[in-house]
Amino acid sequence: MNIKGKVHLMFEQSGVFKNEFKKLGYEAYDYDIQNNHGETDYQIDLFKEIEGAYDGKPSLFDNITKDDLIMAFFPCIYFCENNELYFTGKHMNLSRLSTKEKIETILQRARDRQSMYELCLKLFCVCDVRNIRLIMENPFSYAHYLVNNFPYKAVLIDNNRTLRGDFYKKPTQYWFLN
């Protein structure tokens, strides 16, 4: 892939990927609502920006061109297989709750996942319509919600990220758009 523009790393505040892109000579920026590592260049509510762009309102996406690249580490907590333990009532965080508290927690979790799913879809739609290149990363498992319920399909599954310099071996999937 030839990147002629900037690299925008969304939902990334550690600076790890940004700094690797910079070592390769690219202009790269981290975007996240938090700045726990002191590396976030733009401390911004990305969910609000996605919603705004999707609704045709001004957003940070207005300054991203087709020569740029977005690499998004979209929050996975509601999509990964661990989440299925909540929906079956078997997650250890639910073990001491009353039946009603357990059901209320499961219902809230379902609403939260629906909201995240919609935001993820909207991110893809914004990038698709604007012809912005997007790479999205998320953990891989066959029980992963996006594997079975997402109109865009991951094209690459990395079963051992340590072979490419990461500290974690966990399987990871990548979507490529544009």
Side-chain angles (χ1 to χ4, degrees), residues 28-46:
Y29 302 96
D30 276 351
Y31 300 78
D32 199 90
I33 199 163
Q34 298 177 342
N35 188 19
N36 298 343
H37 303 279
E39 289 282 346
T40 307
D41 299 299
Y42 296 99
Q43 202 166 343
I44 189 168
D45 183 344
L46 288 167

Side-chain angles (χ1 to χ4, degrees), residues 11 46-48 50-51 74 79 113-125:
F11 306 101
L46 288 167
F47 298 142
K48 183 178 176 185
I50 292 167
E51 289 282 4
F74 200 89
F79 303 141
R113 178 167 72 177
Q114 180 63 27
S115 175
M116 287 292 139
Y117 179 74
E118 289 176 16
L119 284 164
C120 191
L121 267 176
K122 288 176 180 183
L123 171 63
F124 271 76
C125 181

Side-chain angles (χ1 to χ4, degrees), residues 6 20 30 49 79 93 123-124 141:
K6 300 172 187 170
E20 288 302 316
D30 276 351
E49 295 297 314
F79 303 141
N93 290 351
L123 171 63
F124 271 76
S141 74

Side-chain angles (χ1 to χ4, degrees), residues 13 19 27 43 76 78 105 113 118 127 151 171 173-174:
Q13 56 168 311
N19 293 330
E27 191 176 343
Q43 202 166 343
C76 64
Y78 297 105
T105 301
R113 178 167 72 177
E118 289 176 16
C127 291
Q173 57 190 332
Y174 296 91

Side-chain angles (χ1 to χ4, degrees), residues 1-168:
M1 172 188 317
N2 187 11
I3 305 168
K4 296 177 184 173
K6 300 172 187 170
V7 179
H8 307 273
L9 298 131
M10 297 186 173
F11 306 101
E12 168 55 17
Q13 56 168 311
S14 71
V16 170
F17 288 87
K18 171 184 71 177
N19 293 330
E20 288 302 316
F21 276 108
K22 285 183 174 186
K23 285 179 193 174
L24 295 170
Y26 295 104
E27 191 176 343
Y29 302 96
D30 276 351
Y31 300 78
D32 199 90
I33 199 163
Q34 298 177 342
N35 188 19
N36 298 343
H37 303 279
E39 289 282 346
T40 307
D41 299 299
Y42 296 99
Q43 202 166 343
I44 189 168
D45 183 344
L46 288 167
F47 298 142
K48 183 178 176 185
E49 295 297 314
I50 292 167
E51 289 282 4
Y54 184 80
D55 292 337
K57 297 176 182 170
S59 73
L60 74 89
F61 292 90
D62 297 338
N63 300 317
I64 299 174
T65 73
K66 64 181 183 174
D67 291 329
D68 293 346
L69 170 68
I70 295 175
M71 188 161 186
F73 301 89
F74 200 89
C76 64
I77 188 170
Y78 297 105
F79 303 141
C80 62
E81 66 186 33
N82 185 38
N83 197 50
E84 298 309 312
L85 293 173
Y86 273 96
F87 293 119
T88 60
K90 296 175 183 169
H91 197 281
M92 61 187 295
N93 290 351
L94 303 174
S95 64
R96 296 185 182 210
L97 300 180
S98 69
T99 300
K100 181 155 186 183
E101 290 171 325
K102 188 182 289 188
I103 297 304
E104 287 299 319
T105 301
I106 292 169
L107 290 170
Q108 183 59 51
R109 190 91 177 177
R111 287 189 291 271
D112 291 344
R113 178 167 72 177
Q114 180 63 27
S115 175
M116 287 292 139
Y117 179 74
E118 289 176 16
L119 284 164
C120 191
L121 267 176
K122 288 176 180 183
L123 171 63
F124 271 76
C125 181
V126 166
C127 291
D128 208 351
V129 168
R130 294 178 184 219
N131 201 29
I132 296 172
R133 293 184 294 176
L134 170 68
I135 299 172
M136 186 179 83
E137 176 274 345
N138 230 247
F140 173 78
S141 74
Y142 290 104
H144 191 283
Y145 189 75
L146 298 181
V147 167
N148 301 303
N149 300 289
F150 200 58
Y152 299 89
K153 296 301 174 198
V155 233
L156 176 69
I157 298 170
D158 184 351
N159 288 306
N160 185 354
R161 297 175 358 174
T162 61
L163 299 175
R164 278 152 293 291
D166 201 338
F167 297 109
Y168 302 104

